[in-house]
Amino acid sequence: MNTADVLAITAEDLAITRLGERGVDTPLGELLGGREDTVHYVTETDRVLLDDTLGVAVRREPGRALPAFNPGGPRAKLYFEPTGVTAAIVTCGGLCPGLNNVVRGLVLQLANAYGVKSILGFRNGFLGLAQDSEPLVLTPDNVRDIHKRGGTILGTSRGDQDPAVMIDTLRRHEVHMLFVVGGDGTLRGAQKLADEALARGIDLAVVGIPKTIDNDIPWIDQSFGFQTAFARAAESIAAAHTEAGSTLGGVGLVKLMGRHSGFIAAYATLANHDVDFTLIPEVPFSAEGLLACLHARVQRQGHAVVVVAEGAGQDLLPPSAETDASGNARLGDIGALLRQRITGHFARTGTPLSLRYVDPGYAIRSVPANAFDAVYCTRLAQAAVHAGMAGFTSMVVARWHGRFIHLPIALATASRNQVDPHGDLWLSVLEATGQPRQF
Ligand code: ATP
Ligand code: MG
């Protein structure tokens, strides 16, 4: 986030909606051994500051409250009586490493830490809620091994659904607390569900766990699954580099995820430190400029590796009117275009070329979470359950500057986290690749 984005946020923007006053003693201390001092309860006034640089803080209007997040974590007083609660979980959008870890983490936290007896898993995303298909009954027993697998045991879907119909389904199953795991589209849907419930006077806490393999949801240090994804992407780059280095005129072209944000491409580049050119959506480039630099690099070095995020260079492709079921625009295939342009350029100039094109997208999406992400998913799930029990709604759990926080859905969906072309991450990439700032 750049300074202007941060300065535009006020304390009011960070306020979290609550269903009502909290009067129920938490069973957490009892379940964890009966000693109250084993639990560090969150003090509501202990806010997590939005700004972490003095440079920004001093530019704020004097006398006004500094914007700060409501902290994540256990509350001593709850809104819901845990043993009488029915909780539900739904996963939506594209696959991302860690989805099953989040589902398992929610179930274990609900059942073991709070003693919740009824947990439902709605299948196939919002579609399952709209069609009122029979939900799975989730227990610690039947989620025992799911974190070892990629994908989501609940299934997922795209496509718009009517919030009123989905709320009817939740009412029929007497759900008090809905955990929604999904990306920007899903969170917009979750907001509509929370609004519909509030408008109808229904006591429903809607808590999101933001899922974005591209790391493009704002006000989150890093999204779950992102580290697993770029680690797997780095393996593909290493393979492409080995191939390229072993053949005459070897060029490895690796297409990675990143529809609007080039974080996976940037981090995977830095993990290997053997990429020559990294192309991301945030930094436009000319094909001719890239080809000239690539040609020079191959002549000097004997080989080269190009990493391209799927959303990069879209202005070089004919605009597409196509959308997916959720209305997201279909991207043009920048990988195919670059492959064709590189092949044509090397043929025209009579330069030997051995091009290997790799698109590991589906392989990256479907791997199980690594140990770091597994820990992160567990802790996000725990924070989400604490939030739901306290009666917070229309919010997602997130990690900001190393602390768990509650982030209003409205803020999570209002903008996009992108690589700042003038920031230190992109500078690291330029330093590691040696590519020019502009082609
Ligand atoms: P990703 O794009 O990272 O895979 P996503 O959550 O953004 O994840 P989408 O397919 O865009 O994935 O949306 C998932 C679900 O959310 C779909 O059922 C879709 O209909 C619903 N949805 C998307 N946008 C909205 C919106 N503006 N309002 C209500 N529901 C929405
Ligand atoms: Mg999306």
Side-chain angles (χ1 to χ4, degrees):
M1 283 291 152
N2 61 37
T3 306
D5 292 331
V6 177
L7 278 170
I9 305 289
T10 65
E12 294 73 43
D13 293 330
L14 306 188
I16 300 293
T17 310
R18 265 173 38 179
L19 292 175
E21 290 307 313
R22 301 195 295 257
V24 180
D25 288 328
T26 181
L28 210 56
E30 215 173 294
L31 282 164
L32 295 176
R35 286 187 46 199
E36 278 306 299
D37 60 2
T38 54
V39 186
H40 172 79
Y41 294 111
V42 170
T43 317
E44 228 52 67
T45 48
D46 181 16
R47 302 269 151 165
V48 177
L49 285 175
L50 176 81
D51 309 328
D52 72 342
T53 61
L54 275 178
V56 173
V58 297
R59 285 175 59 185
R60 294 221 173 249
E61 209 178 305
R64 285 196 68 181
L66 286 174
F69 291 107
N70 179 292
R75 268 62 180 174
K77 292 279 184 191
L78 308 180
Y79 180 74
F80 289 108
E81 168 60 60
T83 49
V85 151
T86 291
I89 308 172
V90 66
T91 56
C92 315
L95 293 186
C96 174
L99 282 167
N100 280 334
N101 301 67
V102 172
V103 171
R104 181 166 181 266
L106 290 168
V107 173
L108 296 182
Q109 181 75 355
L110 285 160
N112 297 341
Y114 281 98
V116 172
K117 294 184 170 55
S118 171
I119 310 169
L120 304 176
F122 282 91
R123 295 177 223 239
N124 303 324
F126 287 146
L127 186 68
L129 275 175
Q131 293 183 336
D132 195 13
S133 56
E134 199 49 32
L136 287 170
V137 174
L138 297 171
T139 63
D141 209 37
N142 64 21
V143 297
R144 180 179 295 150
D145 290 320
I146 65 171
H147 57 301
K148 296 174 187 162
R149 276 177 274 152
T152 160
I153 59 150
L154 297 181
T156 178
S157 66
R158 297 194 189 273
D160 250 347
Q161 310 301 335
D162 184 346
V165 174
M166 293 193 278
I167 290 289
D168 289 342
T169 302
L170 293 167
R171 285 285 275 176
R172 254 192 309 281
H173 293 277
E174 294 178 19
V175 172
H176 305 92
M177 209 175 284
L178 177 67
F179 297 97
V180 183
V181 195
D184 55 340
T186 303
L187 297 179
R188 286 192 184 96
Q191 175 79 63
K192 287 183 185 159
L193 283 174
D195 292 346
E196 173 83 13
L198 284 178
R200 282 163 61 174
I202 297 166
D203 238 6
L204 176 74
V206 178
V207 176
I209 297 99
K211 169 215 68 101
T212 156
I213 201 165
D214 291 349
N215 196 38
D216 59 358
I217 295 183
W219 317 113
I220 296 176
D221 289 343
Q222 224 169 59
S223 52
F224 78 78
F226 172 69
Q227 195 186 91
T228 304
F230 79 73
R232 177 63 185 76
E235 286 176 22
S236 293
I237 295 175
H241 183 243
T242 304
E243 280 279 340
S246 309
T247 44
L248 182 68
V251 171
L253 175 61
V254 184
K255 182 168 129 182
L256 296 177
M257 282 99 82
R259 291 176 57 83
H260 304 281
S261 306
F263 288 105
I264 291 181
Y267 272 80
T269 293
L270 293 171
N272 281 70
H273 215 298
D274 49 24
V275 176
D276 296 279
F277 303 99
T278 302
L279 308 168
I280 60 171
E282 296 89 333
V283 181
F285 64 95
S286 86
E288 292 71 26
L290 170 69
L291 292 170
C293 290
L294 177 65
H295 192 144
R297 190 68 66 98
V298 172
Q299 289 209 308
R300 178 159 64 78
Q301 195 175 256
H303 67 273
V305 175
V306 181
V307 166
V308 60
E310 62 186 324
Q314 289 299 304
D315 55 327
L316 308 176
L317 291 149
S320 160
E322 279 181 55
T323 58
D324 70 13
S326 294
N328 303 304
R330 286 219 193 275
L331 294 172
D333 191 347
I334 187 64
L337 178 84
L338 288 182
R339 175 165 54 176
Q340 181 203 351
R341 295 294 300 267
I342 293 169
T343 309
H345 175 86
F346 278 70
R348 259 196 317 282
T349 53
T351 319
L353 172 74
S354 171
L355 180 72
R356 294 273 187 277
Y357 176 49
V358 195
D359 180 357
Y362 285 103
I364 292 173
R365 258 177 277 256
S366 60
V367 293
N370 70 12
F372 177 91
D373 277 326
V375 170
Y376 188 27
C377 289
T378 297
R379 299 196 70 199
L380 281 170
Q382 290 170 334
V385 173
H386 291 315
M389 286 296 167
F392 292 116
T393 190
S394 298
M395 54 145 285
V396 300
V397 285
R399 202 163 162 85
W400 183 245
H401 299 156
R403 300 271 307 272
F404 285 95
I405 58 147
H406 298 164
L407 173 66
I409 290 180
L411 207 58
T413 52
S415 63
R416 197 172 262 143
N417 189 28
Q418 289 192 301
V419 176
D420 179 357
H422 305 287
D424 65 325
L425 174 62
W426 189 239
L427 177 63
S428 287
V429 172
L430 295 179
E431 288 169 332
T433 57
Q435 74 191 61
R437 188 171 273 283
Q438 263 187 326
F439 291 111

